Every structure is written in C-alpha cells, then in structure tokens.
Amino acid sequence: MAAFTAHSRVLVGACCHQQQQLVAPRVLICSKRPCSSSCAPQAALQQPSSSQQHVRVQRPSLKPSRRSAVVAHAAAAYPFKKKDARLVLEDGSVWHGTSFGAQGTEIGEVVFNTSITGYQEIMTDPSYKGQFVCFTHPHIGNVGINDDDEESEKCHLGAIIVRDVSIVVSNYRSVMTLDEYCKKHNVMGLSNLDTRALTKVLRETGCLNGVICTDASKSDEELVAMTKNWTIVGKDLLSVVSCKEPYEWKDSTEDEWEFSEGAKEAAAGRKFKVVAYDFGIKHNILRRLASFGCSITVVPADYPADKVLAMNPDGVFFSNGPGDPSAAPYAVDNAKAILGVKPVFGICMGHQILGQAFGGKTFKLKFGHHGGNHPIRYNPTGRVEISAQNHNFAVDPASLPEGVEVTHINLNDGTCAGMVYPAKKAMAIQYHPEASPGPHDADTCFEQFVDMMKAEAAAPVAA
C-alpha cells in the first residue's frame, strides 16, 4: 500500500508535505521514506508498524457558518445554466426548461417535428410562421449554422423546443452556433425539457397553443389566459411571409448536391417560363424548378391572376405557406381564374388553395404532419414514397367534384396527399418534394410538372 488515510482521500504520487498542503486538516500516512528533513513526520504523521494497520483520527467538523459558505460556493460554481424559462400550454400544464436564443415572451401553436436532420432548413421554412417547433430528435445544434442551408431570408417560427442543445459544434460549413443564430434572428429557444412527454401530449390532445416566457414576473395563470385568447385558425399568414414585389429567380441546385439525372436532362432542353406564387416559398423549391429547366418569376401571394396571365407563362406554381388556407380567399380566386388556362402545380399550401379552387373544402388536422419520414402511396402504380411534410390542414376528398382524382394517400392516417384535375390542367401534392430537409423520393413531381408544360406546348392550337 503506497499510501492510506483514515476517513480521508489518498493523493498518490505527492510527497508527505505536498499532501498535507492539499488535503489538510486530513491526516496522511506515507509508506515511503521521508522525502527530506523538511518532510519529516510530525506528531500526527508516522510510519505504520506491522501491528498498526489503521489510524483513526477524529476529523474536525465545520462550523455551521463555514458549512453554509462552502455550500454557497459550490452552488455558485455550478457549470450549467439552470432552468429559467417556461412553456405554458392552454391545457394549464407548465413545462420548465433552460432558455437559449432570444429572451422575452412569445405565443404560438406548438407542433412536433420528427426529422432527425435539417433543423436549419426547418427553422427558415416560412410555413412555420406562428408556430413553436418541438424536435423529437433529442440532440439539436451539433452541426451549427451555415450560410447555404437557409430556406428563406429569416426565421419565421416563434420558438424551438429541444431536449438537448449541443454545446459543441462540429461541421466544416458552420459559421455560428444555434444559440447565436437564435439570438440574431430573435427566436426563443427552450432546452432541458422532456420533449418525448410533450410530444405524447400533443399526439393525444392535438396541437395546443403555448407561451414561452423568460419573465419570472408573469404568473402561470396570466400566461394560460394568453394562450386561450389566441388562435392560428382563420389567420391569413400568406400575406405576412410573402414577398412584396415580383422578382426573378435564377439559381439551380449546385452540381455538388444535384442527384437527379432527369433534372440534368431537362436543364439541357427547352426552358419553360413559370410564374410562382409566393405563399412562403422555400429557396430549394425554386432551385429544383430551375434545375428542371424553368425560368422563374416569383410574385406576391395576392398578385392578380390577370397580370400573371399577361406574362404568358408556360405554367403557374402555387407554393407552400403557413396558416389556415380558408383565410386566403384572394388566393383561391386567383387560382380559379388560372385553372384550365395554364398548367398549374401546387405544393402544400398550394395544394390546399387548389383544392378549394376545384370546389373542395379543407379541415384542420389533429396534430398535423411535420417531419421527414411520412409514407405516401402513389395510387396509379402503388409506389410508396417517403416524404417530408409540414402542414396542419388537409383537403377533404369527399368534398371534391367529379373529375378530380386523388392520386396520393398518406399511409399514416389515410388523408389526401395528392390530386390531379386533368380537365383543368392541374396537379397538386400535400408534401414537400424538394427534399430540404428530407428524402428525394418525390422529386419526380417537378419532372411531371415539366411534362405537363411540354404536352401543353405540343398541343395543337384551337381554331
């Protein structure tokens, strides 16, 4: 035994005098020879004899005042930020967590997203306007933030909720941490919260309004009242996130990231002029259209249909977007005026706008579809696609008129995920084929839209 103590830690590898300094007033017994005369054993230090195996020494107790000071010092030295924020839901439940990003009080509809990757793309998707996103994946922020994965000019969501926000960033493209990014864009973050339990509540109860607050002066009751006096239903958010003036989009998917042979072939052929309605359009949707040989003019959500038709496009695109589709009747009216005149393609909110323009109705889902792993069946062939989705409303297929064919079904809940109306030269899907983030299975939808425009261009002109 190199060294031992009674009721004390052993510091191995230090001489007697050094150990005395480090752990005094504990008594140490060193089995080595004295290091020097300066380290000679004192009265309390002695070599153990063969008959003496243990030395029992009464350890002096700390006075209460001294003990309190030690405890206070230990608490002050706690290395992690303590829980300083709350998520209060309209059902009255209070979820405590640790804040990051912006500070203050924010209200929104709480939804959960099952994607494992792509948190930056999710945060910059305008379709999340008015919502808080709870990530079911437990570890968020590990690849930081880069300049290339933005899906719009800013973050539109109100807050993100995560189990653990990474304190270490490891990615060659990263330019800042998630915390820094949230501060920059005034987005609140809440971590150290049981996101699995929260997700189960949302699945059982449905989407709930919530308030995230870092202001300790506000009572839980006051925050609950805020949630009950707010709703996303009936709110027109398209005009909030849309561009204000038309603009041209040129960029296609970079060669490094291009994965579709069909896109490469289409890009080498004829260019088709497309007018895209911006209901909250994502950059990667525009890139995919450009990659398939489209020349794109983006117009605001309320841009008059007659001005669009005056541009004489080969096709018209209706984009994704946030909120309640029934709260944007102007968008439905514009779609009605364009249907049958030009080939049209709608994604997500565009799918819901076209559904209403066909004569159908929309309804709110219990907890929506948010994630990158939703299975979709393409009815004509039986092919199953894994899709990325982000929407809280759906088209009621029973309300659609004769002539509209439901082509895609969500295999999780049987809702309408795609439709075509051949007589009106229209196609629409309820999910995101641009794969940002998400799988590439549905990228063929862009190719189908191009094929529609090709067929229209080849059709004989009526006398």
Side-chain angles (χ1 to χ4, degrees):
M1 182 182 296
F4 66 91
T5 74
H7 308 293
S8 178
R9 287 186 305 149
V10 178
L11 296 180
V12 180
C15 72
C16 307
H17 182 61
Q18 290 172 326
Q19 291 184 21
Q20 271 188 297
Q21 288 181 322
L22 287 169
V23 300
R26 298 177 182 177
V27 176
L28 300 174
I29 298 175
C30 181
S31 62
K32 297 180 180 179
R33 294 177 182 176
C35 302
S36 66
S37 58
S38 63
C39 294
Q42 302 175 15
L45 271 174
Q46 59 182 6
Q47 293 283 356
S49 65
S50 59
S51 62
Q52 184 181 14
Q53 299 298 323
H54 301 283
V55 177
R56 298 186 180 275
V57 179
Q58 184 67 34
R59 182 181 177 185
S61 61
L62 293 174
K63 294 181 180 180
S65 59
R66 173 62 177 160
R67 185 181 297 111
S68 299
V70 170
V71 171
H73 175 74
Y78 185 73
F80 302 108
K81 186 177 180 180
K82 297 193 175 176
K83 294 187 175 183
D84 60 344
R86 293 164 288 167
L87 167 67
V88 179
L89 299 178
E90 62 179 303
D91 64 359
S93 61
V94 179
W95 305 70
H96 293 276
T98 304
S99 67
F100 64 96
Q103 303 287 294
T105 302
E106 188 73 34
I107 189 168
E109 181 182 51
V110 185
V111 301
F112 63 88
N113 188 297
T114 57
S115 294
I116 297 175
T117 62
Y119 56 83
Q120 183 176 349
E121 292 96 323
I122 291 167
M123 291 177 66
T124 52
D125 181 351
S127 299
Y128 280 111
K129 177 69 176 178
Q131 294 179 322
F132 298 165
V133 177
C134 169
F135 288 97
T136 60
H137 188 68
H139 195 59
I140 301 295
N142 54 308
V143 295
I145 299 294
N146 64 75
D147 293 327
D148 301 324
D149 291 346
E150 302 279 84
E151 288 301 319
S152 65
E153 299 301 324
K154 64 177 183 178
C155 291
H156 293 274
L157 47 67
I160 59 173
I161 304 166
V162 303
R163 175 64 185 91
D164 176 62
V165 59
S166 179
I167 59 175
V168 177
V169 172
S170 180
N171 187 272
Y172 72 100
R173 295 192 298 158
S174 178
V175 295
M176 69 179 74
T177 66
L178 179 58
D179 178 46
E180 292 168 339
Y181 184 72
C182 287
K183 286 184 170 71
K184 177 181 177 180
H185 289 276
N186 197 35
V187 173
M188 297 188 71
L190 188 63
S191 65
N192 291 332
L193 182 147
D194 191 342
T195 50
R196 293 176 301 174
L198 177 57
T199 298
K200 289 179 68 175
V201 168
L202 298 176
R203 279 186 59 86
E204 295 298 322
T205 308
C207 294
L208 293 169
N209 295 336
V211 172
I212 291 181
C213 182
T214 58
D215 185 352
S217 68
K218 295 182 183 293
S219 68
D220 293 342
E221 293 75 17
E222 181 181 355
L223 300 179
V224 171
M226 288 177 61
T227 67
K228 294 183 180 297
N229 292 325
W230 184 90
T231 181
I232 201 170
V233 177
K235 278 188 167 58
D236 170 25
L237 298 178
L238 308 189
S239 58
V240 177
V241 301
S242 178
C243 63
K244 304 308 177 187
E245 297 291 336
Y247 65 92
E248 302 294 320
W249 179 274
K250 301 293 185 183
D251 298 337
S252 60
T253 302
E254 295 180 8
D255 292 341
E256 179 184 5
W257 305 107
E258 184 54 71
F259 53 86
S260 171
E261 291 299 324
K264 296 174 183 178
E265 293 174 5
R270 174 185 168 179
K271 295 290 183 182
F272 289 95
K273 185 177 180 180
V274 173
V275 174
Y277 271 100
D278 178 11
F279 299 149
I281 199 165
K282 294 172 66 178
H283 289 170
N284 216 49
I285 291 176
L286 293 169
R287 292 190 190 102
R288 295 313 294 153
L289 286 170
S291 294
F292 277 94
C294 297
S295 175
I296 308 155
T297 301
V298 184
V299 298
D302 59 355
Y303 204 70
D306 58 346
K307 290 187 177 182
V308 169
L309 294 174
M311 298 179 188
N312 194 28
D314 295 299
V316 180
F317 177 78
F318 294 85
S319 83
N320 61 293
D324 186 348
S326 66
Y330 57 86
V332 177
D333 292 340
N334 284 330
K336 287 179 179 179
I338 295 170
L339 281 173
V341 181
K342 297 290 182 179
V344 299
F345 177 29
I347 286 176
C348 205
M349 173 60 73
H351 173 272
Q352 297 159 17
I353 294 297
L354 288 176
Q356 294 176 89
F358 294 165
K361 299 182 183 299
T362 58
F363 65 96
K364 195 173 190 297
L365 296 165
K366 183 177 180 180
F367 48 81
H369 299 156
H370 310 277
N373 55 357
H374 289 251
I376 300 295
R377 183 180 70 235
Y378 180 53
N379 289 336
T381 64
R383 178 177 184 262
V384 174
E385 303 171 352
I386 303 302
S387 68
Q389 304 208 10
N390 173 25
H391 59 99
N392 267 23
F393 292 82
V395 174
D396 179 6
S399 67
L400 294 171
E402 185 178 353
V404 178
E405 177 189 356
V406 174
T407 53
H408 298 71
I409 296 293
N410 187 307
L411 295 178
N412 283 341
D413 58 10
T415 53
C416 172
M419 53 191 176
V420 296
Y421 199 170
K424 297 293 185 181
K425 309 174 187 177
M427 61 176 285
I429 57 172
Q430 182 57 85
Y431 48 100
H432 288 257
E434 77 282 356
S436 188
H440 300 158
D441 298 23
D443 193 66
T444 54
C445 292
F446 295 107
E447 192 169 0
Q448 291 170 355
F449 180 42
V450 171
D451 289 342
M452 286 177 59
M453 292 188 287
K454 286 181 179 178
E456 179 72 9
V461 179

